[in-house]
Amino acid sequence: MRPDGGAAAPRPGIETRLSVRLATVVAGARRRALRDGDRQIDTAHLLHSVIETDPDARTAFTGGAQVAKVLGYLVQRSIGYGLRWQSSVEQSGAVPVVADPGAAGWSPAAVAAMDTALARADARGEGQASGPDLLAALAQDGDCRAAEVLKRAGIDLDVLSRRLDEDGCRGDGSQQVHQG
């Protein structure tokens, strides 16, 4: 958290390393945060947007029923479930809160998720992160808000992470994640 109460943001240039789909996901998460009256994008905003926007990310789930259940919890965020999150900074075990005077608009956990998504792309030798990279990063941080939503919806985070890792999903449609 910044000394002035603002939230951390991804390192400068992070948004230039996102696929077109993932940039659309970030824009959607930003709009959702503003509409919900939240001070920052958090991992639940990112999860909601990646599931709605990126068909490659949706293929990581075992079917439409899982996706519908996750989206059901996310929709409830603004009408009950998740209200305790409003006006609070999301933190998780992924990254300690660090002062970053030049950044605003992202929770520390959302920054960590984006950094992890970029690291996954780097490990594949690609310059841009994708929706499945972000989904995998969210599933790997079991303490973030997105992981809480996934767990409440009955998603096994280890299985989801393994599916995304083992199948080598690139998020550009060239290699789909197998359902099942």
Side-chain angles (χ1 to χ4, degrees):
M1 169 129 44
R2 295 183 347 199
D4 66 359
R11 291 184 317 275
I14 197 169
E15 290 190 48
T16 63
R17 294 196 48 220
L18 307 178
S19 67
V20 171
R21 278 190 191 160
L22 194 51
T24 302
V25 166
V26 170
R30 185 173 288 120
R31 282 190 303 274
R32 187 171 303 287
L34 288 171
R35 186 184 63 229
D36 291 348
D38 295 329
R39 296 182 329 175
Q40 56 192 211
I41 296 170
D42 67 21
T43 60
H45 294 122
L46 291 170
L47 176 64
H48 200 155
S49 192
V50 77
I51 290 173
E52 283 185 334
T53 307
D54 194 319
D56 291 334
R58 282 192 302 273
T59 64
F61 296 94
T62 59
Q66 273 194 336
V67 171
K69 196 166 184 181
V70 172
L71 286 173
Y73 275 101
L74 289 163
V75 167
Q76 292 178 38
R77 172 190 180 126
S78 62
I79 59 171
Y81 175 77
L83 282 179
R84 70 187 183 287
W85 294 338
Q86 277 188 321
S87 300
S88 66
V89 174
E90 177 188 26
Q91 298 181 38
S92 75
V95 65
V97 176
V98 198
D100 185 354
W106 293 71
S107 73
V111 172
M114 295 306 290
D115 284 343
T116 300
L118 288 169
R120 286 175 55 86
D122 288 343
R124 285 193 314 273
E126 295 181 13
Q128 294 184 320
S130 66
D133 290 324
L134 176 58
L135 181 59
L138 295 170
Q140 289 171 4
D141 179 1
D143 295 327
C144 71
R145 291 176 181 173
E148 181 180 335
V149 169
L150 289 166
K151 289 185 275 192
R152 284 188 180 257
I155 307 299
D156 184 318
L157 299 180
D158 292 331
V159 170
L160 181 61
S161 292
R162 211 170 24 255
R163 192 174 297 127
L164 288 159
D165 288 341
E166 289 172 358
D167 291 335
C169 184
R170 294 168 22 141
D172 60 4
S174 64
Q175 196 170 6
Q176 294 292 317
V177 177
H178 299 289
Q179 295 184 17

